[in-house]
Amino acid sequence: MISEITINNFKSIVDLTLPLSNINVFIGENGCGKSNILEAVAFLSLIGSDISNEQLELKGVRTAKSSLIFNSFKNTKTQKSVAFNVKGFNREINYKISDQSENSVSPKWQALRNIVKAPFLLNVTTGRQKKDIWTDYPENSDIQGFIEKNGDLVDIHDSIDFNEKVKLIFNLISRTIIEEYLEKYLIYSPETLNLRGYQTESKKEPLGIYGENLDVLISSLSKDEFETLKSKSQMISWLEDLFVDSGDLLKMKGYKLGRSHSKLYFADKHMKKNNNVFSSENANEGILFFLFYFTLFLSKQTPNFFAIDDIEKSQNPKLCRTLIKTICEIAIENNKQALITTHHPAVLDGLNLNDDRQRLFVVKRNDEGHTVIERIKVKPTVNGESLKLSEMWMRGYLGAIPTNF
């Protein structure tokens, strides 16, 4: 899991460090830079591939000229690159991404990296016994001398181009663990028409970033995952059953007159048994968003690291609270890591700030306009009152609300 990301010179972010865990919720007034944080991580996630506007859009990023990607604050020296420092898996790597096209409409991104720290496997003979030891990579030092000081003998110490071989192997190890974890990162922002199966804008599989193919992902869940999904769905008071009509046979019987591509169906327990089944076309949008979020966290086919922009869409406040509480539990159990933005106070009441794996961040712009964050580590007390986090937010005790009107 990624434990920390530092971002430099991305849109409204000048210098920002994110200490991350499983669930990371960001609140703040409109335009403070919450989405910029999600997009900066998406930008970083393309580090191992060709960075292009097309690839950025597939990640869920709002594309722009590179001059708008780099910040241009009045009192800040203009830089033509974005820099990142990433910590995770007992590794630390610096990245620098610059535009080589001289501010063209189509940027030509070049990425460089510098490995600061990572464990490296050495085969060392001490006395008469051989053993493998893990040690930190000695950056900018003589590898041969380092090894000789830390072991009586290294089996390959007299090999040709020893230093270069070690560096090559080290780079491969680091990429496998950090960059493969990052490269699947997506920003999910489901929309009603996509969840209903009318639009298929995103090409991501098995689940599109706007909600496409929710039925396909549900049908591919394991038996245990599907039973968990159905169990959690009992929070929806009217729901009797949900299923995927894989053969799309119900379409021929007139159940999808709007010509949706979705094969997801529901049964309402309050309706007559022979007339209580309907498709995603006719379902209320609340259950579609609800199923999207739960399936996203449940499935082993979705990324382990992702973002959700405005998670409260179409959710009743009480359901919203329970939704967050439950996905926190699922995320920890399934080793999922998520960055989540919200404008709804009820989301906060689903968080347990006593659990370090659930984190809340207030995002704001400082006096110079730079995006900064403050982590709320414990539930504050206000004049002896026992208030919910949602009440504290609405009363202005947490910040993250407009103050100019």
Side-chain angles (χ1 to χ4, degrees):
M1 192 161 62
I2 300 297
S3 59
E4 184 179 284
I5 298 176
T6 297
I7 307 163
N8 296 101
N9 201 43
F10 184 87
K11 295 189 176 181
S12 63
I13 301 169
V14 174
D15 185 9
L16 182 67
T17 297
L18 305 170
L20 302 176
S21 193
N22 289 89
I23 295 294
N24 308 274
V25 175
F26 299 88
I27 61 173
E29 61 178 299
N30 298 93
C32 65
K34 299 185 299 296
S35 295
N36 287 349
I37 292 173
L38 308 191
E39 292 180 353
V41 179
F43 200 71
L44 169 65
S45 72
L46 287 169
I47 196 74
S49 59
D50 293 331
I51 304 175
S52 65
N53 285 343
E54 181 182 9
Q55 292 299 320
L56 288 167
E57 288 176 359
L58 290 173
K59 290 278 187 179
V61 177
R62 299 163 297 179
T63 54
K65 293 178 65 176
S66 61
S67 60
L68 297 176
I69 296 292
F70 311 136
N71 64 59
S72 56
F73 290 109
K74 296 177 181 177
N75 299 321
T76 303
K77 184 179 179 181
T78 301
Q79 300 179 50
K80 296 184 178 181
S81 62
V82 183
F84 299 92
N85 176 273
V86 184
K87 296 179 181 177
F89 305 99
N90 198 28
R91 285 159 168 75
E92 182 178 352
I93 304 180
N94 291 329
Y95 297 96
K96 184 178 180 180
I97 306 174
S98 57
D99 179 17
Q100 305 296 305
S101 66
E102 299 184 357
N103 199 29
S104 167
V105 175
S106 300
K108 295 180 181 179
W109 299 107
Q110 180 184 65
L112 301 173
R113 70 174 180 170
N114 176 43
I115 298 169
V116 179
K117 174 188 175 183
F120 188 76
L121 183 63
L122 300 176
N123 183 260
V124 178
T125 301
T126 56
R128 295 185 177 180
Q129 292 185 334
K130 289 185 178 182
K131 63 178 181 179
D132 292 336
I133 63 170
W134 286 97
T135 185
D136 288 339
Y137 179 72
E139 184 194 17
N140 298 326
S141 65
D142 176 60
I143 299 174
Q144 182 69 53
F146 172 84
I147 293 173
E148 289 175 349
K149 290 178 182 178
N150 288 271
D152 299 329
L153 177 69
V154 178
D155 289 351
I156 58 172
H157 91 277
D158 58 350
S159 298
I160 299 173
D161 296 322
F162 174 80
N163 284 18
E164 294 304 317
K165 286 185 178 181
V166 171
K167 290 178 181 178
L168 176 60
I169 296 170
F170 176 79
N171 282 327
L172 290 173
I173 291 173
S174 296
R175 187 206 178 279
T176 299
I177 294 179
I178 285 193
E179 288 165 21
E180 284 191 1
Y181 184 81
L182 284 170
E183 70 183 7
K184 296 180 182 178
Y185 173 92
L186 298 170
I187 302 172
Y188 290 101
S189 185
E191 299 292 344
T192 302
L193 289 178
N194 300 83
L195 289 168
R196 292 195 189 283
Y198 288 127
Q199 296 181 3
T200 56
E201 300 166 42
S202 172
K203 305 301 181 184
K204 290 294 182 182
E205 294 182 352
L207 184 64
I209 61 175
Y210 304 117
E212 304 90 337
N213 297 326
L214 176 59
D215 56 334
V216 176
L217 184 60
I218 289 177
S219 67
S220 66
L221 293 175
S222 68
K223 182 178 180 181
D224 288 343
E225 289 171 344
F226 185 67
E227 289 303 319
T228 300
L229 180 64
K230 291 186 69 173
S231 173
K232 301 301 182 185
S233 299
Q234 295 307 307
M235 297 178 195
I236 307 298
S237 60
W238 56 265
L239 183 65
E240 179 180 72
D241 194 14
L242 64 94
F243 63 94
V244 175
D245 178 23
S246 300
D248 212 10
L249 300 178
L250 291 175
K251 177 181 180 180
M252 305 304 174
K253 298 181 180 181
Y255 281 84
K256 292 196 296 185
L257 297 180
R259 300 299 185 263
S260 164
H261 297 288
S262 176
K263 299 176 183 178
L264 181 61
Y265 286 82
F266 304 91
D268 189 326
K269 66 183 180 182
H270 301 296
M271 298 168 66
K272 294 180 180 179
K273 292 294 182 183
N274 61 348
N275 197 35
N276 70 335
V277 172
F278 48 88
S279 71
S280 295
E281 285 185 345
N282 304 112
N284 70 83
E285 60 187 23
I287 192 168
L288 298 175
F289 281 89
F290 178 91
L291 289 175
F292 177 89
Y293 294 130
F294 271 115
T295 309
L296 175 61
F297 280 90
L298 272 174
S299 174
K300 293 181 177 61
Q301 298 184 59
T302 54
N304 285 330
F305 186 34
F306 54 84
I308 300 172
D309 209 4
D310 294 336
I311 196 171
E312 72 279 357
K313 289 180 182 177
S314 301
Q315 302 295 302
N316 175 277
K318 188 172 182 179
L319 181 61
C320 211
R321 172 190 176 277
T322 305
L323 168 72
I324 297 299
K325 181 179 179 181
T326 307
I327 65 173
C328 282
E329 296 169 356
I330 297 173
I332 292 167
E333 182 179 344
N334 290 356
N335 200 31
K336 299 282 188 178
Q337 185 172 22
L339 312 181
I340 298 170
T341 69
T342 185
H343 290 99
H344 203 304
V347 169
L348 274 58
D349 293 336
L351 294 174
N352 176 13
L353 296 187
N354 293 319
D355 184 345
D356 191 49
R357 297 166 295 186
Q358 304 176 40
R359 300 186 178 183
L360 174 63
F361 299 91
V362 175
V363 184
K364 54 189 176 182
R365 305 279 286 270
N366 65 14
D367 292 340
E368 295 177 305
H370 307 171
T371 292
V372 295
I373 62 168
E374 176 189 359
R375 182 184 170 194
I376 307 297
K377 291 188 177 181
V378 295
K379 186 177 178 181
T381 57
V382 182
N383 299 326
E385 286 187 88
S386 179
L387 299 176
K388 295 179 179 179
L389 283 170
S390 58
E391 294 174 305
M392 291 182 178
W393 187 6
M394 290 303 296
R395 295 190 190 187
Y397 296 134
L398 301 181
I401 56 175
T403 57
N404 61 326
F405 58 85

